Amino acid sequence: DGGITQSPKYLFRKEGQNVTLSCEQNLNHDAMYWYRQDPGQGLRLIYYSQIVNDFQKGDIAEGYSVSREKKESFPLTVTSAQKNPTAFYLCASSGRRGFKNEQFFGPGTRLTVL
Amino acid sequence: GQQLNQSPQSMFIQEGEDVSMNCTSSSIFNTWLWYKQDPGEGPVLLIALYKAGELTSNGRLTAQFGITRKDSFLNISASIPSDVGIYFCAGHEGTYKYIFGTGTRLKVLA
């Protein structure tokens, strides 16, 4: 089955520690994204990547870092510089089918910093 | 960052009723997408729209791409309890970025 996987589903970390969230897709999509969702809120873009070895900051990139060494993978590191890291993190990918653009999401990782 | 205006923010309806929600933007989009998110899960794509005026159905769901290309509408007919969740719209203008609505929380009373 084609899709997007995120791991782990739940993650607990102590304050001051860096943590890396995994995102893998087998949809052969060029573009991948990371969003943050807070309780009762919409989606805010952290980083996105249009192609391997290239990525751009989104609206709330401070305290986060990413890499895109492979087309299938787009890991997100939440650093100790992120002041309020507890949130639900969503990875997405998008691709074109002819003229059609579609974006699909993974199941999410809930990060709790203690 | 930019967010689309989505209304209503939340709604309680009786099972069997029809539901309507809409999304408006100050920008023109080439694509409108509608998603449903269940608690603790990622959003699932429901309907994609690619042409102004387009009307597309997916089961009991029907969505329309507004003629001005600045709005979109989602209707759910004969709602059932499993329709509960948060519905998001998203607009795409041809770049790699998608702009999301603020969400409509739907609660269905049996």
Side-chain angles (χ1 to χ4, degrees):
Chain A
D1 287 339
I4 303 170
T5 58
Q6 291 185 243
S7 60
K9 181 70 173 174
Y10 300 96
L11 191 54
F12 297 88
R13 278 295 182 268
K14 292 183 179 180
E15 193 171 341
Q17 289 182 333
N18 291 356
V19 61
T20 298
L21 282 59
S22 168
C23 177
E24 303 278 331
Q25 57 100 358
N26 61 5
L27 299 168
N28 199 32
H29 285 166
D30 287 322
M32 297 187 72
Y33 309 75
W34 276 104
Y35 295 91
R36 170 180 171 140
Q37 187 175 37
D38 292 287
Q41 302 297 313
L43 304 175
R44 292 188 291 170
L45 182 63
I46 304 172
Y47 268 98
Y48 67 102
S49 168
Q50 300 176 30
I51 199 167
V52 174
N53 293 323
D54 182 67
F55 47 83
Q56 286 80 39
K57 293 182 179 180
D59 301 315
I60 56 165
E62 185 176 353
Y64 300 97
S65 66
V66 294
S67 63
R68 185 86 187 276
E69 297 177 0
K70 297 188 300 181
K71 186 175 185 178
E72 301 78 18
S73 179
F74 191 40
L76 173 74
T77 296
V78 184
T79 74
S80 56
Q82 169 51 233
K83 296 177 181 176
N84 186 17
T86 294
F88 190 51
Y89 290 88
L90 288 161
C91 178
S93 71
S94 72
R96 295 177 66 91
R97 291 187 296 120
F99 65 91
K100 299 182 178 181
N101 289 284
E102 295 174 332
Q103 184 177 68
F104 298 94
F105 285 86
T109 292
R110 184 165 299 281
L111 172 65
T112 303
V113 176
L114 305 172
Chain B
Q2 180 188 0
Q3 279 193 314
L4 305 179
N5 293 318
Q6 194 170 340
S7 65
Q9 286 188 326
S10 62
M11 54 195 315
F12 289 82
I13 61 169
Q14 292 286 339
E15 183 176 358
E17 287 185 348
D18 296 345
V19 175
S20 292
M21 61 190 77
N22 68 78
C23 204
T24 60
S25 168
S26 56
S27 305
I28 291 174
F29 290 122
N30 296 328
T31 300
W32 282 97
L33 305 173
W34 283 93
Y35 295 87
K36 177 178 184 274
Q37 185 179 28
D38 292 326
E41 301 295 330
V44 174
L45 181 63
L46 299 173
I47 293 180
L49 303 158
Y50 300 103
K51 186 177 178 182
E54 178 182 356
L55 190 70
T56 297
S57 293
N58 178 7
R60 293 178 296 105
L61 279 61
T62 300
Q64 185 165 22
F65 195 136
I67 291 292
T68 65
R69 295 170 61 195
K70 292 184 177 182
D71 56 7
S72 181
F73 309 87
L74 177 69
N75 296 310
I76 305 172
S77 63
S79 58
I80 59 178
S82 61
D83 289 335
V84 67
I86 304 175
Y87 292 80
F88 288 102
C89 62
H92 184 256
E93 57 188 0
T95 66
Y96 282 88
K97 289 183 69 174
Y98 291 76
I99 310 299
F100 285 85
T102 48
T104 293
R105 280 171 179 70
L106 179 63
K107 297 188 179 182
V108 180
L109 306 175

